[in-house]
Amino acid sequence: MARTPLYKTTETEMIARITKGDWEVGRRLPNEFTLADEFGVSQGTMRRALISLEGMGYLNRKPGRGTLVAAQAPAEAAPTRLTPSLLDAAGTQLSLEPFRGRADIRAATPAEADLIGADRVAVLERTLKHKGRRAALETTVLRADLLPAGLDEDAPAPLDQLLAHHAIAVSQLRAEARAEVTDMAKSVALSVDRHCALLVVSTEAYAADGTLIAHQILRIATEGAHLAHQ
């Protein structure tokens, strides 16, 4: 049986404070570090809880203003969907096609279980091509109870398209990008020099109730590749 992830427990406690009036409308909340310490969780767990509550309409998070308790009740409409787009150096869509991969269903690691609240996960690990050359490494982790037959190795690479291919509904996507360099294994897999620069895009997919259902990491070696949001 799937267990409740830690961030969902934290989220429930925070909603209780808001609905009971302990956190009044317009109140500015402490930063993630302080909140994480107050609730006895990691900063990553607190960040996921805040993102989820923002998506449900309980919080407003604005750069330079911090996190505020929302001035209205949670919206009844579907949460806003943030669609990440991968672009090449010319600003056109970066197409990534499956080259080789391995799909599996296995027991979740402790980190995976905490992340998506499931004891078993469907995992897809692939090398992807762009314009005929090996361009990216993908790791996608999904709750196994959503797809007992496992992930399709030939599914489209972007997480929203991959989940749509498997008829899994997604309410919201969140993507973050960072820089990384290849180690020996990644340089061999991508056929690039060691210490080649990579664009690492981490994308999370959420259900309508704010539950995290899938997580994908793309490590992209295409020069000039970048992440845009539409």
Side-chain angles (χ1 to χ4, degrees):
M1 178 181 296
R3 63 187 178 84
T4 303
L6 189 55
Y7 86 92
K8 291 295 290 182
T9 302
T10 304
E11 170 192 305
T12 299
E13 294 178 12
M14 296 174 75
I15 289 174
R17 292 193 185 189
I18 293 171
T19 56
K20 291 178 181 178
D22 296 336
W23 285 354
E24 67 278 8
V25 170
R27 176 172 180 159
R28 187 186 306 275
L29 300 184
N31 60 36
E32 290 177 2
F33 296 99
T34 302
L35 285 171
D37 184 63
E38 179 179 346
F39 283 83
V41 298
S42 69
Q43 185 190 358
T45 295
M46 178 53 64
R47 180 179 300 115
R48 291 188 180 92
L50 291 171
I51 289 172
S52 179
L53 290 179
E54 181 187 20
M56 288 188 284
Y58 285 102
L59 300 176
N60 288 324
R61 305 178 74 207
K62 301 292 183 182
R65 293 180 55 202
T67 300
L68 305 177
V69 176
Q72 58 184 5
E76 295 181 1
T80 301
R81 181 166 178 164
L82 179 64
T83 304
S85 295
L86 288 171
L87 306 178
D88 61 19
T92 57
Q93 195 74 30
L94 183 69
S95 61
L96 295 172
E97 301 176 350
F99 171 50
R100 62 165 62 102
R102 179 175 64 89
D104 191 17
I105 294 181
R106 57 167 171 77
T109 66
E112 291 166 344
D114 181 47
L115 183 68
I116 62 177
D119 294 325
R120 294 188 63 77
V121 291
V123 181
L124 180 60
E125 297 177 313
R126 295 189 291 186
T127 302
L128 308 171
K129 280 190 170 184
H130 174 62
K131 295 183 178 180
R133 302 183 61 180
R134 283 177 278 176
L137 301 175
E138 171 206 354
T139 301
T140 298
V141 178
L142 171 77
R143 294 177 58 105
D145 58 339
L146 297 177
L147 200 65
L151 290 160
D152 180 1
E153 294 178 19
D154 294 321
L159 185 56
D160 57 341
Q161 296 179 32
L162 186 153
L163 294 177
H165 174 84
H166 292 91
I168 296 175
V170 178
S171 179
Q172 189 177 51
L173 293 176
R174 298 246 173 204
E176 295 181 346
R178 68 178 189 275
E180 191 177 284
V181 296
T182 57
D183 55 20
M184 181 62 74
K186 294 183 182 67
S187 64
V188 171
L190 291 169
S191 192
V192 297
D193 294 334
R194 192 175 181 185
H195 305 309
C196 173
L198 297 175
L199 170 68
V200 182
V201 179
S202 177
T203 307
E204 295 179 339
Y206 294 84
D209 64 358
T211 301
L212 179 64
I213 58 175
H215 180 254
Q216 181 187 73
I217 295 179
L218 290 175
R219 289 179 167 86
I220 304 166
T222 300
E223 186 175 356
H226 58 286
L227 179 68
H229 293 96
Q230 299 175 336

